[in-house]
Amino acid sequence: MSLSGGTAGWIAVAAIAIAVASALFAVFAWRTLGTVREKQQILLGGARGELVEFAVSRQTRIDDLQAAVDEVAAGLARLDRRIDGSVAGTSIVRYDAYEGTGGHQSASVALLDSSRTGIVLTAIQGRDYARIYLKELDRGRASVALSPEEQEAVERAMSPAAQ
């Protein structure tokens, strides 16, 4: 099989065109690769290394951060339990326990936590004596009947304004 001069010329021209196109594609690919490498260096912060190593190190830092967040969340849960058990609502009601004593010398004090559990302390002042009473509350209910003044102190301590 022999090729004519014209056919061989066209094949040579086609081969040159393909070679030129391949060379242009190689230059374009080389420049694109350089741009990718520059952006990779920016992403890596100028450190030498591979992008995969960088991603693994970032994932390790994220895992460490997640562990720290979990630790803080556990600490907050413990703190919430402690706060719920502390005194959250207080109230003092002063009054005259007996007619004619004057000066509102008697008082009832309610000290309650967030679940409305706590105590009511009452001091009754007479002309020549003083008596102190202590009553427990469990979730807003007293084990012993409350006087009207004690009930008022409990209601004030449980109101949102007291907390």
Side-chain angles (χ1 to χ4, degrees), residues 52-136:
V52 173
E53 292 172 7
F54 176 74
V56 168
S57 72
R58 291 295 163 214
Q59 184 61 45
T60 302
R61 290 185 70 185
I62 289 171
D63 292 343
D64 292 344
L65 182 60
Q66 183 62 46
V69 166
D70 291 343
E71 186 177 323
V72 168
L76 284 174
R78 287 190 305 270
L79 187 60
D80 282 345
R81 285 191 300 275
R82 287 181 63 193
I83 288 173
D84 286 343
S86 66
V87 174
T90 61
S91 176
I92 299 173
V93 175
R94 299 184 62 84
Y95 55 96
D96 288 330
Y98 302 105
E99 293 290 327
T101 58
H104 293 294
Q105 296 300 311
S106 300
S108 292
V109 177
L111 304 168
L112 306 175
D113 66 10
S114 61
S115 67
R116 298 179 174 182
T117 298
I119 63 168
V120 177
L121 179 66
T122 300
I124 305 273
Q125 180 72 35
R127 288 188 185 263
D128 54 352
Y129 65 90
R131 293 189 178 146
I132 297 176
Y133 301 95
L134 181 67
K135 297 177 183 176
E136 293 182 85

Side-chain angles (χ1 to χ4, degrees), residues 19-43:
V20 168
S22 296
L24 289 174
F25 178 74
V27 168
F28 174 75
W30 184 260
R31 289 184 60 127
T32 303
L33 180 62
T35 303
V36 168
R37 286 184 178 165
E38 287 174 12
K39 291 181 179 181
Q40 180 181 4
Q41 287 302 317
I42 291 170
L43 181 65

